[in-house]
Amino acid sequence: MPDADRRDMQDKQLLNHSTDKEQGLLLGRSNHAGNMSQSQKKLQEAICVLLVELCERFTFFGIVCNMILFCTVKLGYRNYQAAIVNMCFVGTSMLMPVLVGWLAECLMGRIKLVCICMFLHFLGTALLSVVAFPFEDIYIDRRHILHTLTKREQKIMFYFALLTASLGIGGIRAIVCPLNAYNLEDCGPKELLSFFNWFYWLVNLNSAVVFVSISYIQQSVARNLGFLIPFVSMLMAMITIHMLRDEMIYKPKTDSSLLTTFGVIASALKTFCVRYRYFSSSTANWLDHAKENYGGQYSETQVEGTKSLARLFPLFAFQILYRTCIMQIPSGYYLQTMNSNLHFSGFVLPVAAMNVISIVPLLILVPILECINSYLFSSKDTGRSPTIYIVVGQLSAALSVMVAGFSEIHRKHFPPVEQTLSEEVLLVSSMPCFHLAPQYILLGVAEALVTPSCSLLSFRLVPERIRGISMHFLTLFNGAGCFMGALLVQTAHAGTQGNWFPHLLHEGKLERFFFFLASLMMVNTLGFWTIAHRYNSLNQEDTNELRGSLPEEKPLEPEKASKYYNSIQESSSVLSPVEKT
C-alpha cells in the first residue's frame, strides 16, 4: 500500500510538472505574439502618420507653388504684394501648429480639435477652388453668366480661404503629425540626425512631385483646376485619419507646457526686477529668480528645463535671417524665373518647376551625409555636434542670394521677348531660365545642411520632457523669418519707391535688394560662427552650462530687508504656474 501511494504521488508530480511546462510554453508564445502585434501596431501607426504628413505637405506646396502667378494674373496684385502674401501664408502655416498645440493642451480635447482643423482645411481648399474656378466660362445661355465674383469678393474669399487652410495645417502638424509621434525619445545623436535627414528627404521628394505636376496643371493645362488637387489630397488625409484615428492621434506627456515656459520667463523677469533694487549681487542666471526658494513660483525641474531651452535661443535667433533667404525661392527667385525665357525645346516650363533644381541637391546630398555622419558620430565619440553643417549651410545661403543679384544683372542684358503665362502675354527677358540654376542649387545645399542639423540640436540639447516645446520654439523663429522676409520686401519697396522690388523687373534694381540681403546673411553667418562652440557637444550632461552650484548671495542690509519682502508680498504674479512637476 505505501508503494502504491508513492507511485501515485510521483505520477501526480510528473503530471503537474508537464502541465506547468505547457503553460510556460503557452505563456511564452502569447508574450511573443503580443510583442509582434505591438511592433506591427507601431509600424502601422508610423506609416499612417507619415502618409498624413505627406498628404498635408502635398496640399501645402500645391497652394504655395504658383500663388504669386495667381495673385498677379488673376487678382491683379503687384509683384511685391504677391510676394508678401505668399511669405505671410507660409509664416502663418508655421506659427499655427504652436497656437493649435496650446489650444489642444488648455482649452479642448485633441480629438475634437483635430476634427475642427480637418474641417477648416477642407473648407480652405474648397474656397480656394471657388476663387480659382473660371465662373465667367459657365453660361445659362449665350447672354447670361451663371455666376461671377468681383475682384473685391475674390480677394476677401481668397484671404479667408488661406486663413482657414493655415489653421487646418496647424492642427494636422501639431496634433496628428508632431515629431514626438515617431517615438524618438530613445534615439542617439546618430539615429536622430539620420531620421531628420531622411524625413526631410521624403518631404522634399513629395514637394518635387508637387512642383512639377501641380504647377504645370495650374499654369498650362487647366490652371484654374489646379487648386482642386490640394482638395482631393486633403480628402485622402481625412480618410487615413478616420481609419486609424485612435492609433494616429499622438497623446503627449502632460508634465510640461508652453505656458509653463512662458510663465517661468515672466516670473523670473518680475522677481529679478524687484530683487535688483535690494541685492548687491545677482544669481548665476536670471531665470533662477523664478525658483520657489528665490521668491518665484516654479519648481527646480521646471526652471532648469527652461534654462536648457533658453540656451538654444541664440541658435533659434540666427535662423530668422536664414529662413528669410530660403523664402526667396517662392518670392524673389520666382519673380526672376517668371520674367525669364521658359521655353525649352518647344515646351513651356512651369515657373514653379524651377524649384525642383533646389530640391535635387538635397535628394543627392542626404545619402552622402549619411556616410559622413557615420564618421562624425563614431562609436568612440557620440557627442560631436554638426554645427559645422549649419555654418556651411548659412554661408551657402548667403552666396545663393549674392549669385541671384549677379544673375539679375546678367538677365537684363538679354533682349525682351513676349511670353504667355496663364493666358496672359508678358514681356520678359530672353535669357533661358536655366541660367538661374546656380542660385537654386546653393539654396538646396543650404537646406540639406541646416534644417536637419537645427532640428537635431533643438531636439537633443533639452530634457526629454520639453523636447516638443523646443521644436515649437524652432518653428516660431522659422515663422518669424518668413514675416521678416515680408517686412524686408515691404520696406525695400516703400523706401526706394519701388526701385528695389519693382513690378517690372527690367525697370528696377532688384539686384540691390539681393545684395543687401546677402550682406545681412554674411553678418548672420559670422555671428553664428562665433557662438557655434556652445553647441559642440550633444551630451546634455556636458552641454548644460547653466546648471550647477549657484554662488552665494550677500545678505540684505537690515533696512532693506523689510522693504524687499514687503515688495514681494505686494507684487502679483504675471503668469501663474500652470502645473507643478
Side-chain angles (χ1 to χ4, degrees), residues 240-266:
T240 306
I241 294 178
H242 177 71
M243 290 173 60
L244 291 172
R245 184 179 60 182
D246 294 335
E247 289 77 10
M248 292 178 61
I249 302 302
Y250 173 73
K251 296 179 180 179
K253 299 178 180 179
T254 58
D255 57 349
S256 63
S257 71
L258 196 62
L259 281 182
T260 302
T261 303
F262 285 122
V264 169
I265 295 174

Side-chain angles (χ1 to χ4, degrees), residues 328-347:
Q328 295 310 304
I329 292 180
S331 56
Y333 290 8
Y334 188 98
L335 291 173
Q336 278 187 301
T337 306
M338 193 171 71
N339 286 271
S340 301
N341 187 6
L342 296 171
H343 289 84
F344 178 73
S345 300
F347 179 77

Side-chain angles (χ1 to χ4, degrees), residues 385-401:
S385 174
T387 50
I388 185 63
Y389 289 169
I390 301 177
V391 175
V392 175
Q394 291 195 355
L395 180 62
S396 179
L399 291 177
S400 172
V401 182

Side-chain angles (χ1 to χ4, degrees), residues 52 55 58 229 231-241:
V52 175
C55 288
F58 191 86
I229 296 179
F231 169 72
V232 175
S233 180
M234 197 59 233
L235 283 180
M236 292 189 297
M238 292 175 66
I239 293 172
T240 306
I241 294 178

Side-chain angles (χ1 to χ4, degrees), residues 258 261 308-309 312-313 315-316 454-463 465-477:
L258 196 62
T261 303
S308 299
L309 182 61
L312 293 176
F313 283 175
L315 170 68
F316 296 156
C454 284
S455 299
L456 171 65
L457 294 177
S458 304
F459 197 85
R460 178 69 181 176
L461 294 183
V462 294
R465 52 186 292 273
I466 63 168
R467 283 175 175 175
I469 299 175
S470 178
M471 299 304 293
H472 275 323
F473 271 96
L474 178 61
T475 302
L476 282 173
F477 280 87

Side-chain angles (χ1 to χ4, degrees), residues 89-165:
F89 172 73
V90 176
T92 304
S93 300
M94 288 185 175
L95 297 181
M96 282 302 173
V98 181
L99 174 62
V100 175
W102 172 75
L103 290 175
E105 180 181 315
C106 300
L107 298 183
M108 59 182 67
R110 304 179 71 83
I111 301 296
K112 181 179 180 180
L113 187 59
V114 77
C115 293
I116 295 174
C117 291
M118 294 298 294
F119 171 75
L120 289 176
H121 199 292
F122 175 87
L123 179 63
T125 51
L127 288 177
L128 285 175
S129 302
V130 171
V131 175
F133 197 79
F135 289 106
E136 62 272 14
D137 294 340
I138 301 178
Y139 299 91
I140 297 177
D141 53 37
R142 293 177 179 268
R143 295 173 296 175
H144 299 89
I145 299 176
L146 179 62
H147 180 61
T148 57
L149 288 175
T150 63
K151 289 291 184 182
R152 184 173 180 274
E153 291 172 342
Q154 281 184 326
K155 291 178 181 180
I156 293 175
M157 188 176 294
F158 179 64
Y159 286 125
F160 181 75
L162 291 181
L163 180 60
T164 53

